[in-house]
Amino acid sequence: MSENRWEGIDEFVAVAECSQFTAAAERLGVSSSHVSRQIVRLEERLQTRLLYRSTRRVTLTEAGQTFLQHCQRLQDSREEALRAVGDLTSEPKGMLRMTCAVAYGERFIVPLVTRFMGLYPQLRIDIELSNRQLDLVHEGLDLAIRLGRLQDSRLVATRLAPRRMYLCASPSYLERYGRPHSLSELSRHNCLIGSSDIWQLEQNGREFSQRVQGNWRCNSGQAVLDAALQGVGLCQLPDYYVLEHLHNGALISLLEAHMPPNTAVWALYPQQRHLSPKVRKLVDFLKVGLAERPEYRG
């Protein structure tokens, strides 16, 4: 068939959405006669009537209503394909608003974002460091970096890096109070409490939450680490706080058989059919940059 099977689709959708040939022609920047001619040809190719025409208004036939839904999806897919190809060569630009937890953001994310900005001078970054989980849609944020397990199913998630929780203590604490060999013994130890007194653990292949007690509490991971290094009590902290100290012997890992399953560092963004190049390229950059950190190199 020599004729273009796509001809008339844009004109049909415009007429269906505007309910008028004149308004549809204005939207497309063509003449009303051109719109009418294209739709007549389309109906002839399909061998069915798509529109009921009157002097004041145009309405859809049953076949027209069905055809409209498919044509609108075709238009969306076409625009998606054009944007996807264009983004392969387009540079990130404009404003990118993102959020991350304070300590992790300061230590890991912000330095990488700053390096990323140096590659794309047309990009502007607004970073909100907060330990409160901000609503991306409500706050108008493009991206969030979250730690642990995800709860918001409305967001799309990309795994950036592993994250493992360690239960540990200093040699001086263990010399004074002994080493716990079972979960039941945790109640006899001073547990350093951070932002929560609930620790995640595993037993018999199942993860569970255990409430712990102690005489020290601070909602700062660095402060919990400092207290553990000084022998105040047991702590449960992510790998990036404690690995260096585990390697040099300043901390000792405990109850390793009960370590919770690996969680992760995630990049989250609102559900969209097409991810903007600035977000997509930053997420890729963060994934590579975190993998190069010594904390994540095995």
Side-chain angles (χ1 to χ4, degrees):
M1 182 179 291
S2 59
E3 56 205 352
N4 188 343
R5 294 170 64 87
W6 291 85
E7 279 188 358
I9 287 179
D10 289 338
E11 289 84 356
F12 166 70
V13 172
V15 170
E17 292 178 347
C18 296
S19 300
Q20 287 184 336
F21 279 85
T22 302
E26 290 177 356
R27 177 201 283 189
L28 298 174
V30 297
S31 66
S32 296
S33 60
H34 170 83
V35 173
S36 178
R37 188 164 54 249
Q38 289 290 353
I39 290 179
V40 168
R41 291 174 179 172
L42 180 62
E43 289 178 324
E44 289 175 351
R45 290 202 305 276
L46 295 173
Q47 296 185 352
T48 189
R49 181 182 288 272
L50 300 173
L51 303 171
Y52 293 120
R53 300 158 174 82
S54 69
T55 55
R56 301 183 61 184
R57 189 171 180 81
V58 177
T59 57
L60 293 168
T61 65
E62 182 179 356
Q65 292 173 350
T66 299
F67 192 57
L68 175 64
Q69 295 174 5
H70 289 279
C71 288
Q72 288 171 327
R73 287 198 291 270
L74 282 172
Q75 285 185 330
D76 290 344
S77 297
R78 180 182 61 189
E79 294 305 312
E80 179 81 4
L82 292 171
R83 282 197 301 269
V85 173
D87 286 347
L88 291 176
T89 56
S90 65
E91 287 197 352
K93 58 185 176 180
M95 175 65 77
L96 191 156
R97 300 189 65 236
M98 61 181 296
T99 183
C100 184
V102 177
Y104 192 83
E106 289 176 341
R107 182 173 170 186
F108 291 88
I109 298 301
V110 173
L112 288 173
V113 173
T114 303
R115 281 171 49 194
F116 183 75
M117 279 194 68
L119 301 175
Y120 302 104
Q122 297 185 67
L123 186 65
R124 293 180 294 137
I125 298 283
D126 183 343
I127 307 175
E128 176 94 10
L129 294 182
S130 173
N131 292 331
R132 182 171 59 91
Q133 289 204 358
L134 304 178
D135 186 306
L136 270 68
V137 176
H138 180 72
E139 302 282 347
L141 295 164
D142 300 296
L143 177 66
I145 307 302
R146 298 250 170 97
L147 312 175
R149 282 180 173 74
L150 304 180
Q151 299 174 341
D152 196 337
S153 60
R154 299 173 305 161
L155 302 175
V156 180
T158 297
R159 186 177 182 273
L160 296 180
R163 177 179 182 264
R164 192 153 200 186
M165 300 295 291
Y166 284 85
L167 196 159
C168 46
S170 70
S172 62
Y173 175 88
L174 297 177
E175 288 172 8
R176 289 197 304 273
Y177 300 104
R179 178 174 185 150
H181 296 284
S182 67
L183 294 177
S184 61
E185 294 180 44
L186 286 180
S187 61
R188 301 205 297 266
H189 286 269
N190 190 39
C191 295
L192 304 172
I193 300 172
S195 56
S196 172
D197 61 355
I198 303 294
W199 286 4
Q200 299 301 316
L201 299 161
E202 184 182 272
Q203 189 168 35
N204 300 323
R206 298 183 61 184
E207 185 176 1
F208 72 99
S209 301
Q210 178 160 325
R211 190 178 300 277
V212 296
Q213 301 180 54
N215 63 6
W216 191 100
R217 177 171 190 156
C218 181
N219 64 340
S220 161
Q222 185 62 47
V224 172
L225 173 63
D226 290 341
L229 290 170
Q230 293 184 48
V232 178
L234 308 182
C235 71
Q236 187 183 57
L237 286 170
D239 42 20
Y240 48 86
Y241 278 111
V242 300
L243 283 180
E244 175 187 354
H245 304 288
L246 292 173
H247 291 155
N248 65 25
L251 291 175
I252 296 175
S253 180
L254 306 169
L255 300 177
E256 293 186 346
H258 300 288
M259 293 173 68
N262 284 2
T263 57
V265 180
W266 304 94
L268 280 79
Y269 36 89
Q271 289 187 3
Q272 297 171 336
R273 292 191 61 195
H274 183 74
L275 192 59
S276 67
K278 60 187 176 184
V279 175
R280 176 174 52 81
K281 290 186 178 182
L282 176 56
V283 169
D284 291 342
F285 188 85
L286 292 175
K287 186 183 297 185
V288 172
L290 289 174
E292 293 174 347
R293 296 273 313 205
E295 295 87 348
Y296 294 113
R297 285 202 216 120

